């Protein structure tokens, strides 16, 4: 009997799943197009039919809410009352009059309706208010469409597999939370994720329409599928003067990965999003194919005359990548010591018994640190962390070497001294990399002052008594002059538009960075570029305000008519009247027509710097938002410049998420599904205002390039 029941239950479950999949198939092509007859804004993008609602076949009669068609053993169809279970003949013509009469007098139905109303009155829902401790109480109503929508958001944000909603314990948990919960199968949640992806894509397209200019970061990454992906991330300032970052594309770029092919993929992305006339800069690393790519895209943009100041800031080289190359050249001077430390940590990591012995010695010496770090040789910051952590265990290495004859990785005291001096030297580079590697705040204004500190430090260490430090500084100085030996326009513009720095920082740092002889020329060049860029914004502002909007024109015309009507009586009497208000308006209009003596830029540069605490994190965009009425043109220029990122960290963070999503068990996913999951993850996070702490500044790159080795607790 139990076997027969299980077979029946499995058959019913298969039938219900088949019905659910057939009824829940979504035609998503229409979601990518804005609704006609609705608002094109963010709100209008989600109005209309809920795509997460299961499509139900419409019934012509209301009796089917309380009646069910059942099949009898002899094959005939009967209509059964859901309340009293009485059977009725199913009329071939579809007539339902007798069923209505029965439901009107069915006692069981009346009792059921009364109990249901009483139950609904007893079920309450507590909703959290805007502030802590304040809640509101409402009648509870289970909304399965909302549950499906949030389930899709959960899968996208937390990078869960689609099969999670099939897990037995998860469904038991949901049933315990709400007895009304209906199971959502794997195929349904996948379709709902695609639906959420398309809805957010349409919302993002509407947001991008309101952006003035958009800065792009892009990079290539090879997944565990051996497929090369390209990520395109857009950075812009929204209407609330908040810096926004969105992943626009995560697509497959087939080989060969030449600059021309990558440029074509970028152009297709811009056209798809409708931002081909809004892209102001592209930030990339120093790969040779990127130079060809940017040159090709720049030529296309020049044909449309969409580049500011002749494209001098269009190509932005990733400053973090340049710092990596610069420090790697310096680390090559002590590569022997680094190899000894690295191989020693590998030796310990490969055996649990070795780590136990190492931890015993640590406990005897009462050292607080509990982690060793193994680096990625291509990332200097991970090498720095490895050396800094190894320094804390410098006394353990020789003691462990005494008890393990196979441990040949004990640096000498002189080598440890080298490591200590190198860590002190590289500490400032590590802090600078952390500062400029953020993606949630402007970075274009932060790098010039740090670049000045790097150059000053290199000049100082070039005269150091230690040969290895001196050789490191000389090697790093050559790389510095290669990439930053000429004036960098973007970092200078960003610093000038920071009210804490203005031209004072440029005048102070340029002689150190470029030398006393070349500095005046670079300062004059930067001032000319700044005014040229400002004049472009002035021209754009004048052209956009040259034609008065029809609504404002109508208001002015109405006011003129009203004014004339009040003068009608005086004119009929032949009296020429000029009121004081009209005379003042004539004088003011003449003053307004005269060009201002000083532009916004002149006033801004002549004013003193904004003075604040040196360690305070000034919200630069917030400052310009407060000054936008005083500097209507310059504030817009500042927001566009400050939105430009100086690193490609935003792209690397997406690759980190890609490495987690495309694991060994999901390596067969299509490139379309991968794009939906990666882009959807970013968009839904922004929708809910979520920020992962592990994705702050450099933690992203570190998490994928270092291996932390926990010592056992002995």
């Amino acid at each position: 009997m139990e076997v027969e029941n299980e077979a029946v239950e499995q058959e019913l479950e298969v039938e219900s799943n088949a019905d659910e999949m057939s009824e829940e198939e979504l035609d998503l092509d229409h979601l990518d197009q804005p609704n006609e007859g609705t608002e094109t804004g963010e709100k209008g993008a989600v109005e209309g039919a809920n795509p997460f609602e299961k499509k139900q076949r419409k019934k012509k009669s209301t009796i089917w809410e309380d009646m069910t068609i059942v099949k009898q053993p002899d094959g005939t169809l009967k209509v059964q009352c859901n309340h009293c279970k009485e059977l009725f003949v199913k009329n071939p013509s579809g007539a339902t009059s007798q069923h209505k009469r029965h439901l009107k007098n069915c006692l069981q139905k009346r009792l059921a309706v009364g109990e249901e109303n009483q139950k609904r009155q007893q079920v309450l829902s507590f909703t959290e208010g805007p502030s802590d401790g304040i809640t509101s109480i409402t009648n509870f109503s289970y909304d399965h469409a909302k549950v499906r929508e949030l389930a899709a958001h959960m899968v996208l944000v937390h990078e869960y597999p689609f099969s999670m909603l099939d897990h037995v314990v998860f469904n038991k948990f949901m049933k315990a939370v709400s007895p009304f919960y209906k199971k959502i199968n794997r195929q349904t949640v996948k379709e709902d994720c695609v639906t959420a992806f398309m809805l957010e894509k349409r919302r993002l397209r509407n947001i991008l329409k309101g952006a003035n200019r958009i800065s792009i970061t892009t990079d290539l990454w090879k997944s565990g599928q051996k497929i090369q992906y390209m990520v395109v991330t857009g950075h812009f300032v929204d209407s609330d003067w908040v810096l926004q970052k969105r992943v626009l594309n995560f697509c497959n770029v087939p080989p060969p990965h030449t600059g021309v092919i990558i440029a074509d993929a970028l152009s297709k992305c811009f056209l798809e999003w409708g931002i081909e006339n809004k892209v102001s800069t592209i930030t990339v690393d120093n790969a040779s194919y990127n130079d060809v790519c940017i040159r090709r895209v720049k030529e296309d943009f020049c044909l449309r005359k969409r580049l500011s100041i002749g494209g001098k800031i269009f190509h932005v080289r990733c400053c973090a990548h340049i710092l990596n190359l610069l420090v790697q050249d310096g680390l090559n001077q002590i590569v022997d010591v680094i190899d000894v430390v690295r191989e020693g940590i590998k030796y310990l990591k490969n055996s649990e018994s070795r780590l136990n012995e190492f931890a015993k010695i640590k406990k005897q010496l009462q050292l607080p640190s509990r982690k060793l770090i193994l680096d990625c040789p291509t990332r200097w910051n991970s090498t720095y962390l490895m050396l800094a952590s190894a320094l804390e265990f410098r006394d353990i290495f020789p003691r462990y070497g005494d008890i393990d004859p196979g441990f040949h990785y004990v640096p000498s005291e002189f080598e440890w001294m080298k490591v200590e001096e190198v860590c002190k030297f590289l500490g400032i580079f590590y802090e600078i990399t952390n500062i400029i590697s953020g993606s949630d705040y402007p970075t274009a204004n932060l790098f010039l002052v740090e670049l000045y500190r790097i150059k000053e430090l290199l000049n100082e260490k070039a005269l150091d008594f230690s040969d290895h430090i001196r050789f490191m500084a000389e090697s790093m100085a050559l790389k510095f002059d290669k990439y930053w030996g000429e004036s960098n326009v973007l970092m200078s513009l960003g610093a000038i538009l920071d009210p804490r720095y203005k031209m004072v920082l440029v005048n102070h740092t340029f002689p150190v960075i470029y030398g006393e002889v070349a500095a005046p020329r670079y300062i004059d060049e930067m001032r000319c570029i700044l005014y040229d860029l400002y004049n472009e914004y002035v021209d754009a502002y004048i052209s956009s305000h040259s034609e008065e909007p029809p609504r404002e024109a109508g208001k002015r015309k109405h006011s003129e008519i009203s004014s004339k009507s009040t003068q009608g009586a005086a004119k009929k009497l032949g009296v020429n009247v000029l009121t004081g208000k009209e005379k003042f308006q004539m004088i003011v209009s003449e003053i307004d027509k005269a060009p201002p003596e000083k532009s916004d830029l002149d006033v801004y540069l002549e004013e003193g710097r904004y003075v604040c605490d040196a360690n305070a994190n000034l919200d630069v965009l917030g400052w310009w938002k407060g000054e936008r009425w005083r500097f209507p043109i310059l504030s817009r220029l500042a927001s566009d410049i400050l939105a430009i990122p100086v690193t490609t960290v935003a792209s690397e963070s997406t690759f980190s998420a890609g490495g987690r999503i495309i694991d060994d068990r999901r390596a067969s996913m299509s490139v379309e599904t991968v794009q939906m999951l990666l882009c959807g993850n970013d968009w839904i996070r922004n929708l809910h205002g979520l920020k992962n702490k592990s994705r702050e500044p450099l933690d992203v790159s570190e998490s994928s390039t270092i291996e932390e080795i926990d010592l056992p607790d002995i």
Side-chain angles (χ1 to χ4, degrees), residues 10 46 153 301 312 366-367 411 425 465 479 685:
Q10 292 177 359
V46 295
H153 290 186
F301 278 37
K312 293 179 181 178
Q366 297 182 352
L367 298 178
F425 179 33
F465 293 107
K479 190 71 71 173
R685 279 187 172 277

Side-chain angles (χ1 to χ4, degrees), residues 352-623:
E352 187 176 351
S353 61
R354 296 169 188 169
L355 288 176
N356 288 333
E357 292 297 328
F358 196 86
K360 288 179 182 178
I361 301 174
K362 178 193 80 70
K363 186 176 181 180
Q364 292 172 0
L365 298 178
Q366 297 182 352
L367 298 178
S369 299
R370 297 185 57 184
K371 289 183 180 180
L372 287 168
I373 292 178
L374 185 61
D375 72 331
C376 172
T378 59
R379 293 295 184 94
W380 80 267
N381 53 328
S382 65
T383 304
Y384 165 79
L385 292 174
M386 180 186 72
L387 295 177
S389 66
L391 271 175
E392 299 177 359
F393 300 100
R394 62 186 298 178
D395 295 331
I396 303 180
F397 276 75
R399 287 175 170 80
Y400 181 79
D402 293 339
I403 63 175
D404 187 349
F407 189 72
H408 307 296
Y409 312 103
V410 181
S412 65
E413 283 299 320
F414 178 70
E415 289 175 329
W416 279 122
M417 183 192 69
K418 279 186 175 182
V419 171
E420 187 173 6
E421 291 178 346
V422 167
C423 286
K424 289 180 179 178
F425 179 33
L426 297 183
I428 184 64
F429 293 90
Y430 183 78
E431 293 300 325
I432 291 173
T433 306
N434 275 334
I435 291 172
I436 66 172
S437 296
S439 57
D440 297 327
Y441 55 86
T443 55
N445 59 314
L446 302 178
F447 194 56
L448 180 62
V449 65
E450 304 302 339
L451 188 70
Y452 152 76
R453 180 71 183 107
I454 291 173
K455 182 62 174 178
E456 190 178 51
L457 186 63
L458 292 178
N459 293 340
E460 176 187 334
K461 295 299 181 181
L463 305 175
D464 197 89
F465 293 107
S466 300
D467 292 340
H468 57 280
I469 295 295
R470 191 168 61 253
F471 292 152
M472 279 185 66
E474 292 173 356
S475 176
M476 294 166 71
L478 292 176
K479 190 71 71 173
F480 182 97
D481 293 336
K482 177 181 178 180
Y483 289 105
W484 292 314
E486 295 183 358
S487 178
N488 190 294
V489 177
L490 174 61
M491 70 176 69
S492 301
L493 289 175
I496 295 171
L497 294 171
D498 190 319
R500 297 170 295 180
Y501 303 139
K502 298 190 177 182
M503 286 297 297
V504 177
L505 181 63
V506 173
N507 295 332
H508 176 70
T509 58
F510 273 33
V512 177
I513 298 174
Y514 306 113
E516 295 288 348
V517 177
R521 175 170 59 87
Y522 284 131
I523 292 174
D524 291 339
E525 179 183 340
M526 275 309 311
R527 186 178 287 272
C528 292
I529 291 174
L530 177 61
Y531 273 88
D532 289 342
L533 181 60
Y534 175 76
N535 290 332
E536 289 183 6
Y537 274 75
V538 171
D539 294 339
Y541 182 84
I542 293 174
S543 62
S544 64
H545 289 75
S546 59
E547 295 183 3
E548 191 176 20
R551 184 177 297 178
E552 295 298 325
K555 287 183 179 179
R556 178 171 297 179
K557 185 176 180 181
H558 175 74
S559 63
E560 290 173 355
I561 293 173
S562 300
S563 178
K564 290 178 181 178
S565 64
T566 58
Q567 300 175 7
K571 287 186 177 181
K572 287 181 181 179
L573 298 174
V575 181
N576 236 347
V577 177
L578 184 62
T579 64
K581 178 181 177 181
E582 292 172 339
K583 186 173 182 179
F584 175 76
Q585 187 64 33
M586 291 172 58
I587 297 173
V588 171
S589 62
E590 293 298 326
I591 296 175
D592 292 341
K593 290 179 182 178
E597 296 181 3
K598 293 183 179 180
S599 65
D600 289 359
L601 183 56
D602 292 327
V603 174
Y604 170 76
L605 294 177
E606 290 176 4
E607 290 181 351
R609 295 183 305 108
Y610 178 79
V611 180
C612 62
D613 186 78
N615 296 322
N617 294 323
L618 175 66
D619 181 6
V620 183
L621 285 174
W623 187 90

